[in-house]
Each structure stands twice: as structure tokens, then as C-alpha cells.
Amino acid sequence: MTRIICVIGNKGGTGKTTLSHMLCQGLGLLGHRAACVLTDTSREPLSPNGRRYITADARNSDALAKVVEKLRSLDDWIGVIDGAGNRTEQDRQLYALADIVLLPFRESHEDLRTVIHDLDLFPRAYAVPTQWPNNAWQREAADRNVAQMMGAYRDRILHPVIALSATKLLLHKQLPEQCPTPLSNTCRAIARQLLEILEIESPSRPDELKISPLPADEMPLRLAH
Ligand SMILES: Nc1ncnc2c1ncn2[C@@H]1O[C@H](COP(=O)(O)OP(=O)(O)OP(=O)(O)O)[C@@H](O)[C@H]1O
Ligand SMILES: [Mg+2]
């Protein structure tokens, strides 16, 4: 069965496109067939060369309907639809067709307020902290803000995606031949979270056998308790 994941949210620049591509790359590295679907009319399609997933251009509603229909007709694909900021009406449409909805947000209070609004608007959606600080002190402050402002939504917040400058490689038109290992590992970790939620097992692949399952404290908050 094909699953559709939509990455949306009212605020621009939260990391929707980056998260969509990281998720697809991670799914591909774990042996799943994934398609990253562009809907943002102000962006150009990216070449699928070198990626572990295909890219699809659905920048108008007819193309989107066709891509979704095609994906739904295939077996065991995962389609990740990348939304665009400030498009509440389109977000509602994507929410309606998605099996899972992700709302990336950064650590600013403005992002937190916006994602809380979106979590109320889209009751099935999960919030994903993105560009999360690596520095221990900043990380603690960011986690504390989330706990204070978003405590009521705790079971809908996934494990944070750290700030990693190599993520910008995924948004290059052409992916370099070799992806840095930290980027691949982060992509796999995100994909594993989503596979857990979707209750999909990964096919065993020789290069994956060495990787053990996510430890409990690395699980999304939703799954950890
Ligand atoms: N995990 C990350 N680590 C470091 N930088 C990141 C990460 N995620 C996103 N960024 C950076 O943040 C900026 C915005 O990211 P992105 O384009 O993915 O956001 P977006 O939500 O798709 O924006 P828009 O609303 O314009 O579509 C980019 O410069 C991107 O490289
Ligand atoms: Mg984008």
C-alpha cells in the first residue's frame, strides 16, 4: 500500500523542503521507494540523479492530482509532498489527502506559536522540531521552551532534526556523488521515525544489517511513553 506524507505549515522557511528531501533520502537508504513531490510554484524541480528517491513536479493542482493518483496506484511507495509557506487553503487540501502530516518548526517563539496554531487546525498532524541546536546549552533552552509552550501537544511532537549544514546539499539541483555520512545518518533516523509511526518494516539490505534499531530515548516523543 502506498502512503502519502505531507509536509506543510503556515510559516515560511521552517524547513519543509529540506525535511521532505531528508525523509525521502533516508527512506531510499533504508530500501524503500520514495518520491519527493514539489508543489511550491516559486521553486524549480531538482534532478533525481544521485538521489535515493525520485522527484516529481506537481506545481499545479492537475499535476498534483495525477501524481497522487499515480502513487496510489503503485505498491508500497511512500510519497512525500512538500508544501509551501502561507498557503492555508492548499495546506488544507494536502492535509485531506495525506496519511501522515508533518509540521516542521524552528525554536523561535514565533515558530512555536505558529505550529501550535497549525496543530489545532490539523488535529492529525505531528510537529517536527527542525534546525534544532547542537550546542548543549542552546538545545536545553529550546527543549525547555517547547516543554513550556507545547506541553499539551507533547504526544504529537517528533524527535528533533538537528541543524546540519550538509542538509543544503539535498536542495542542490544535482546531488553530489558522495553524501557526507552525518547527513545520511540523520536522513535514516528521520525515516525510521516515520516508518515506526506508519508501522512499516524496512526490507533487510546488506549495508543496513549493521545498524541496530533506534534506542528508546531516540524514539519520537509520541512513541517513547
Ligand atoms: N536541519 C537543518 N539544518 C540546517 N539548515 C537547515 C535545516 N533545515 C533547513 N535548513 C535551512 O533553512 C532554510 C529554509 O529551509 P527550507 O527551504 O527547507 O524551508 P521551507 O519551509 O521549505 O521554506 P519555504 O517556506 O520557503 O518553502 C534553508 O536555508 C535550509 O538550508
Ligand atoms: Mg520549501
Side-chain angles (χ1 to χ4, degrees):
M1 186 172 58
T2 280
R3 314 292 185 92
I4 307 257
I5 299 171
C6 289
V7 185
I8 58 173
N10 188 260
K11 197 155 184 304
T14 54
K16 294 175 290 296
T17 303
T18 306
L19 178 63
S20 302
H21 286 270
M22 290 176 86
L23 180 53
C24 286
Q25 180 77 354
L27 288 166
L29 288 167
L30 294 175
H32 293 273
R33 285 175 297 190
C36 195
V37 183
L38 171 72
T39 66
D40 188 344
T41 47
S42 54
R43 296 284 182 274
E44 291 293 311
L46 303 178
S47 161
N49 291 349
R51 299 176 197 272
R52 298 294 190 109
Y53 55 97
I54 64 163
T55 53
D57 184 357
R59 284 176 293 170
N60 65 61
S61 51
D62 283 353
L64 179 62
K66 281 192 187 125
V67 168
V68 170
E69 190 183 288
K70 178 74 191 165
L71 283 169
R72 292 272 186 214
S73 74
L74 300 170
D75 262 349
D76 293 334
W77 275 71
I78 299 177
V80 180
I81 303 184
D82 171 24
N86 294 309
R87 292 195 315 189
T88 305
E89 201 36 55
Q90 177 136 23
D91 277 2
R92 282 183 210 274
Q93 288 167 12
L94 293 178
Y95 178 77
L97 65 80
D99 298 300
I100 291 220
V101 174
L102 302 179
L103 302 166
F105 68 101
R106 290 164 305 182
E107 56 164 325
S108 74
H109 274 214
E110 195 192 7
D111 270 47
L112 265 66
R113 284 195 302 273
T114 311
V115 80
I116 288 170
H117 179 266
D118 286 342
L119 282 166
D120 288 334
L121 200 59
F122 303 121
R124 285 185 294 117
Y126 296 100
V128 186
T130 53
Q131 305 177 48
W132 223 239
N134 289 295
N135 165 291
W137 183 83
Q138 287 175 349
R139 166 79 188 245
E140 204 185 306
D143 288 347
R144 201 168 42 238
N145 275 341
V146 170
Q148 278 169 2
M149 289 176 66
M150 298 179 66
Y153 303 87
R154 192 181 188 283
D155 59 351
R156 294 170 63 198
I157 305 171
L158 302 190
H159 194 75
V161 178
I162 52 157
L164 186 66
S165 74
T167 57
K168 62 171 88 71
L169 293 175
L170 288 172
L171 304 196
H172 284 190
K173 265 209 152 150
Q174 187 85 39
L175 198 64
E177 275 186 18
Q178 279 288 325
C179 265
T181 306
L183 176 60
S184 299
N185 288 343
T186 310
C187 293
R188 280 194 196 91
I190 296 165
R192 282 208 191 90
Q193 278 202 96
L194 267 296
L195 291 169
E196 291 270 356
I197 295 171
L198 287 165
E199 297 179 350
I200 297 176
E201 296 206 356
S202 294
S204 293
R205 283 156 45 116
D207 58 334
E208 288 302 325
L209 293 177
K210 293 177 243 97
I211 293 164
S212 48
L214 270 185
D217 61 356
E218 291 288 302
M219 289 285 199
L221 296 180
R222 169 182 167 268
L223 300 174
H225 65 163

